Amino acid sequence: MNMLQPFTVLTGATLALGLLTPASPAQTVQRLTRIVQRAPATEGQTGAAEAKTCRVAGTIVDADGKPLAGVVVECFRYADGQWPPSAAYTEVKQRVTTEANGAFEFKVSPVTTVVLARKPGLAPAWMQYWNLTKDSTDERLVLTPPTTLAGMVADEADKPVADAEVSVSVSYLEKPMENGRMSFGYLSGKSARECFSARTGADGKFVIQGFPTNATADLAVSKPGRVLREPQRDYVSPDTMRCRSGQQDIKLVVEPAGGIEGKVVAQETGQPLTGMQLRLRPTGPGYFGGRKREPSQSGADGAFRIADLAAGTYQVHATFGTNLVPEWVAEWVSVTVELGQTAKDVKVSATRGGFLEVMVLGKDDRKPVENAGINASKEGYYGNTTSGTNGIALLRLPPGEYHVAATQEKARSEGSTATVVSGRTNRLEIELNPPPRITGVVRDPSGAVVPGLQLSVSPNWGHNTGEVKTDAQGRYEMSWAPQQIGPSGTTFYLIARDVAHNLAAAQDIEEGTKTLDLKLESGLVVAGRVEDVNGKPLSNATVQVFLWSGNSGSQFEDKPIRTDARGRFEMTAMPPGRKYSMDATAKGYGSANQSIQENADTNRIELEPCVLRVADRKLAGEVVDAEDKPAARVNVYMYGQGQPQGSVRTDEKGRFKFDAVCQGTIQLSANSQRSYGNARAEAGDTNVVIRLGVNQSFSSRPVSKRPSLKGKPLPDLAAVELGSEAAPAGKPLLLCLFDLEQRPSRRFVKQLTEQYDDLREKGLTVLGLQAAVTTAASFREWKDANLVAFPVGRVAEKADKTKWASDVESLPWLILVDAERRVAAEGSALDELDAKLKALTK
């Protein structure tokens, strides 16, 4: 008799019923798989993601900037877009060899992609892309002279280990940016091992050849019965890599390996299962997993063994076969491996479970959605797949309650729940919410539509909205999800620019905006000149214009402007009525910045000359930890008024050096994985010490160019939003001037908050003042997000009555006031307060 079995599915608010006719597992899979309709893939195509491509093009050059011929440039893609980068690459997707101009070009899918360039005699270089949404056609890869990574592999008794393979498991390549910062590209998996590997000799020593001079790396060691001792770290970044380029004293310690032994059995019958693949996932933080590990496989008796494991806790994931819908599934098993020990009798119970058939529909049109990613998760298991051309996806899952979600590009579903029951097919319908969109029409000053005009959103903080252009009728449409771009409260602008006709428009857009028409008007033209202190024009200087939203500025154009032979620059089609500023820098010189003030009588703005000081001084020192020990491979950043911005990394002895700084005061900050420190120094100082974990903002006395307030009455605090109730009469007062946009200021305010009770017991009234001009909304958002124990005011605008605060050059800045409201000291260090207070009472 053919019995029909009922089943139930739980969704957010929907109860669905269905039936499953008993059949063999293979027949059931075949029948249900046919439900998921999939379009045949063309050659070289693996999914809809690859149907949308972007151009990546650029030039391969040597260290002197000369184009290189004969460079093999390859384009890889992470397997299934996997991350972290310990995942293996798929096959090479594309390969070209450069000619005399060094040019290369690829069509890249919007998945995690790496471009790798190699030429004999030079070190490789690479760059990485995540989810490209527009063409990137001005890339520049620099092949540097090679260096080496050298060292020794030793066992736990410090004896050399011979014939061990040492390879790079993951490497970060540094790429200087226009603003003096660094960007990083990852190389890992098979390609990293092929580029950089060596074997140890009888003395345990190894030398890896051909490593770039601007990279850091983690190394892996392969030796049967031995595993590399993993470093303790919370995360993996350039700061926490084991090795830096050119390092010759690397020491890698290998320990006795552990292992896992067990058996895979059918949960219902206890019968052994053969052919199950078992993979491991470490659960500790800051772990890349070293070398690539192939999955183990259960034998005829269901037994499996996973060897050469470091001590730690792992999750064992078991899968069966390569079919879209597997025949068996198993919940993850957590196993702890002790040093040199094998965890035995691990049982992995596999089940045929139940099916979850998911229908993905568009919320607005109720049409099936193809190639939507479906994730089903519960504690101890995670499954994923994609929908077919009919919007249907099928997963086999262990029984239990699942959270189910669907995504496609920027479209998301609401979270749903489903109960999967063994032996039954459970059906779930999910509606995919389309991403919020803005539509509108762009017109010129006469009212005519403007076709083919590109639009952009500012600020975007690196989140590209893709290429948005008006069509033949001047219409545009773009996805709009501000919460994915920046913090709440940010004012965003939709910008349209017709550079050829010097027309532009910028309109505020809010989260709920759906329709927005733009009308172009005459754009601003900003021009100026960059010169040295003697008035000599600086050609090929870099000028960057920033568009401001509240108290934060974002880059107005993707690429900076270059000055001509006369030091001149010009930018056109800038939307009027907005706040702008500009920065100018040049190689071998410092920086200059100024705000751009709009002229009501004309749309052309001629700026004052940007004068750059020559950067002919050096600055050097060391970074030490709280115990005064050298801190190696720590990032050190420098900044200051008129100074070039830049960053370097300390060497193994904690030393750092900047070769080109300008005369004057420089602020330095250093950060490691767990600590931070800062200091202030003068150009030419080669013995600066930055202590991690110690705020040294006032370790040397800061300077201010405005006239000193010492001995003078404290200016009226009402002008900076601090009323009389905040500062009671007859008591000494400590006023801290700060800038919420500066990390040293934020840390110092936190430090004052921690010491507030002690300072109050000493009879001090403590006040804070946001001395850099900021909007009321931004200031309120900062106060809401930060618990400050004392009253805080702000400078709302630059005016004569607030110059005493806004013109202080070095922040944070302390002002000590006596009981008669006269300034007793300013610019003092926090640890000098006790002595200053005693002086007040004498």
Side-chain angles (χ1 to χ4, degrees):
M1 187 169 71
N2 189 12
M3 299 292 296
L4 299 180
Q5 302 176 12
F7 66 87
T8 63
V9 174
L10 297 178
T11 68
T14 304
L15 180 65
L17 297 177
L19 297 173
L20 170 67
T21 302
S24 71
Q27 291 172 326
T28 302
V29 171
Q30 289 176 1
R31 185 173 66 227
L32 290 175
T33 303
R34 283 195 295 268
I35 296 173
V36 184
Q37 298 173 7
R38 299 190 180 276
T42 58
E43 185 177 354
Q45 182 180 1
T46 60
E50 294 203 359
K52 299 179 181 179
T53 60
C54 298
R55 288 176 60 228
V56 171
T59 308
I60 311 296
V61 299
D62 62 17
D64 296 324
K66 297 177 181 178
L68 288 172
V71 180
V72 176
V73 190
E74 297 170 317
C75 182
F76 297 88
R77 190 188 75 173
Y78 284 122
D80 301 322
Q82 290 180 28
W83 186 256
S86 55
Y89 292 121
T90 58
E91 72 279 3
V92 177
K93 289 294 181 181
Q94 302 170 70
R95 179 186 288 114
V96 298
T97 301
T98 61
E99 298 182 357
N101 61 359
F104 70 92
E105 180 174 335
F106 296 117
K107 289 284 190 179
V108 176
S109 304
V111 292
T112 306
T113 303
V114 170
V115 174
L116 172 66
R118 289 184 277 189
K119 180 180 174 69
L122 294 172
W126 57 89
M127 51 192 170
Q128 189 172 39
Y129 303 93
W130 291 271
N131 194 28
L132 271 177
T133 58
K134 63 179 183 179
D135 293 346
S136 181
T137 58
D138 195 24
E139 296 290 356
R140 185 181 173 92
L141 267 178
V142 181
L143 301 192
T144 64
T147 185
T148 59
L149 296 174
M152 176 182 179
V153 178
D155 63 16
E156 71 278 10
D158 206 28
K159 295 181 179 179
V161 176
D163 198 32
E165 183 189 37
V166 183
S167 61
V168 168
S169 59
V170 61
S171 180
Y172 283 28
L173 184 75
E174 298 177 348
K175 181 181 178 182
M177 300 171 65
E178 293 283 355
N179 60 6
R181 301 297 188 186
M182 292 285 184
S183 65
F184 302 93
Y186 307 84
L187 185 71
S188 60
K190 180 181 178 182
S191 295
R193 293 193 301 276
E194 289 179 347
C195 288
F196 313 114
S197 64
R199 298 199 78 85
T200 59
D203 55 1
K205 294 183 179 180
F206 66 90
V207 178
I208 295 177
Q209 304 284 350
F211 196 70
T213 57
N214 54 339
T216 56
D218 259 3
L219 298 182
V221 177
S222 179
K223 177 75 175 179
R226 293 278 169 175
V227 290
L228 182 63
R229 182 183 292 169
E230 290 293 334
Q232 296 297 314
R233 53 189 174 187
D234 296 330
Y235 57 87
V236 178
S237 74
D239 303 335
T240 64
M241 294 275 95
R242 287 179 184 268
C243 314
R244 57 177 174 80
S245 60
Q247 188 174 344
Q248 303 295 298
D249 57 353
I250 302 167
K251 187 169 184 179
L252 304 174
V253 178
V254 292
E255 302 174 317
I260 297 175
E261 291 181 357
K263 181 175 287 190
V264 184
V265 298
Q267 181 175 305
E268 293 81 3
T269 65
Q271 294 298 311
L273 295 176
T274 183
M276 292 287 286
Q277 292 190 336
L278 298 108
R279 294 175 172 85
L280 289 185
R281 177 176 295 178
T283 60
Y287 184 78
F288 264 113
R291 62 185 176 86
K292 168 71 177 174
R293 179 182 295 276
E294 295 298 325
S296 299
Q297 197 168 62
S298 61
D301 58 354
F304 67 88
R305 173 176 171 77
I306 305 174
D308 295 336
L309 297 179
T313 301
Y314 300 84
Q315 287 179 339
V316 180
H317 296 191
T319 59
F320 186 84
T322 58
N323 294 332
L324 184 65
V325 183
E327 293 184 33
W328 296 89
V329 287
E331 294 186 354
W332 304 339
V333 178
S334 181
V335 181
T336 298
V337 177
E338 302 292 341
L339 179 65
Q341 303 296 313
T342 297
K344 299 185 177 182
D345 301 323
V346 175
K347 183 180 178 182
V348 178
S349 296
T351 177
R352 297 194 187 273
F355 292 106
L356 179 62
E357 181 187 309
V358 182
M359 165 66 80
V360 185
L361 300 172
K363 185 174 183 178
D364 292 342
D365 57 15
R366 298 287 297 171
K367 292 182 179 179
V369 178
E370 179 185 2
N371 280 300
I374 292 92
N375 303 313
S377 61
K378 68 167 187 167
E379 185 175 357
Y381 194 81
Y382 171 87
N384 67 300
T385 188
T386 57
S387 60
T389 56
N390 57 354
I392 296 177
L394 185 67
L395 299 103
R396 187 196 291 273
L397 301 169
E401 295 278 345
Y402 285 85
H403 174 82
V404 186
T407 61
Q408 188 193 57
E409 296 183 354
K410 295 182 179 180
R412 300 286 186 273
S413 70
E414 301 294 336
S416 300
T417 59
T419 300
V420 174
V421 180
S422 291
R424 300 183 180 181
T425 299
N426 306 324
R427 293 180 177 85
L428 174 66
E429 183 179 286
I430 291 183
E431 291 183 336
L432 204 59
N433 298 314
R437 306 190 77 80
I438 298 178
T439 61
V441 178
V442 180
R443 301 179 185 275
D444 66 15
S446 70
V449 299
V450 183
L453 196 65
Q454 187 160 339
L455 288 82
S456 62
V457 173
S458 180
N460 62 33
W461 291 296
H463 293 262
N464 292 322
T465 55
E467 188 175 82
V468 179
K469 283 188 175 182
T470 56
D471 62 15
Q473 286 74 44
R475 293 191 300 254
Y476 73 90
E477 182 177 357
M478 61 176 286
S479 61
W480 174 235
Q483 66 275 11
Q484 297 178 10
I485 299 177
S488 61
T490 301
T491 299
F492 293 96
Y493 311 127
L494 180 61
I495 297 173
R497 299 174 66 208
D498 183 349
V499 177
H501 300 94
N502 191 34
L503 298 173
Q507 291 288 336
D508 293 8
I509 46 176
E510 300 176 351
E511 186 167 354
T513 302
K514 294 184 178 179
T515 303
L516 186 62
D517 293 339
L518 297 179
K519 187 171 184 179
L520 303 178
E521 55 184 317
S522 294
L524 299 179
V525 178
V526 175
R529 168 185 165 97
V530 181
E531 59 187 34
D532 66 12
V533 294
N534 298 313
K536 177 185 176 182
L538 295 178
S539 61
N540 206 34
T542 298
V543 176
Q544 184 68 67
V545 174
F546 295 89
L547 172 62
W548 287 77
S549 171
N551 65 338
S552 63
S554 63
Q555 194 170 299
F556 182 62
E557 283 199 331
D558 290 341
K559 298 175 184 177
I561 309 167
R562 298 286 183 179
T563 58
D564 61 18
R566 300 175 300 158
R568 298 282 301 175
F569 66 89
E570 183 175 285
M571 177 177 282
T572 62
M574 296 172 59
R578 300 294 172 179
K579 179 183 175 183
Y580 299 94
S581 67
M582 58 83 61
D583 288 352
T585 59
K587 188 175 182 180
Y589 291 84
S591 63
N593 58 76
Q594 57 179 293
S595 60
I596 299 174
Q597 302 297 329
E598 197 169 336
N599 190 330
D601 299 326
T602 175
N603 68 336
R604 183 177 180 85
I605 303 169
E606 188 70 31
L607 299 173
E608 293 292 325
C610 297
V611 180
L612 307 186
R613 293 179 293 164
V614 65
D616 57 355
R617 307 290 177 94
K618 295 185 183 298
L619 184 71
E622 65 176 332
V623 179
V624 297
D625 60 19
E627 298 177 353
D628 281 341
K629 295 180 180 178
R633 297 192 296 280
V634 170
N635 281 335
V636 180
Y637 301 93
M638 62 159 284
Y639 47 95
Q641 186 68 32
Q643 295 288 349
Q645 288 191 347
S647 64
V648 294
R649 185 174 287 114
T650 60
D651 62 18
E652 292 302 307
K653 297 180 180 179
R655 299 287 301 178
F656 67 88
K657 182 175 68 170
F658 292 96
D659 291 321
V661 300
C662 302
Q663 181 179 357
T665 303
I666 298 166
Q667 292 177 309
L668 296 164
S669 65
N671 64 282
S672 66
Q673 183 180 359
R674 295 183 177 87
S675 193
Y676 169 85
N678 62 73
R680 191 174 281 112
E682 294 295 320
D685 190 347
T686 57
N687 294 293
V688 182
V689 177
I690 305 176
R691 285 183 170 81
L692 298 177
V694 179
N695 190 318
Q696 295 173 259
S697 293
F698 301 99
S699 58
S700 57
R701 193 173 307 281
V703 227
S704 177
K705 290 183 177 179
R706 64 140 169 82
S708 173
L709 296 178
K710 187 173 181 181
K712 299 176 182 179
L714 180 68
D716 183 14
L717 296 181
V720 290
E721 302 181 0
L722 287 169
S724 58
E725 70 281 357
K731 293 182 64 175
L733 169 69
L734 180 66
L735 179 63
C736 175
L737 278 58
F738 65 91
D739 181 2
L740 59 85
E741 290 297 316
Q742 294 181 5
R743 183 163 52 181
S745 283
R746 294 194 299 269
R747 289 179 62 86
F748 195 75
V749 170
K750 181 179 179 182
Q751 187 178 356
L752 271 182
T753 298
E754 293 169 350
Q755 299 184 25
Y756 174 68
D757 290 337
D758 291 338
L759 294 172
R760 189 172 56 177
E761 288 179 4
K762 294 174 182 177
L764 270 178
T765 296
V766 181
L767 300 177
L769 176 59
Q770 166 64 24
V773 176
T774 187
T775 64
S778 297
F779 181 60
R780 184 170 57 252
E781 183 178 349
W782 175 82
K783 287 182 67 176
D784 291 343
N786 294 271
L787 297 176
V788 181
F790 43 84
V792 180
R794 75 178 178 104
V795 176
E797 60 180 351
K798 283 200 172 185
D800 289 342
K801 59 185 178 181
T802 60
K803 278 186 176 181
W804 65 271
S806 61
D807 283 4
V808 172
E809 185 176 321
S810 301
L811 295 174
W813 182 265
L814 286 183
I815 300 177
L816 181 63
V817 183
D818 64 20
E820 282 73 41
R821 282 295 183 273
R822 287 190 174 273
V823 175
E826 61 173 331
S828 304
L830 193 57
D831 56 14
E832 295 176 344
L833 277 181
D834 283 340
K836 299 291 183 183
L837 283 172
K838 290 178 182 177
L840 286 182
T841 59
K842 290 182 180 179

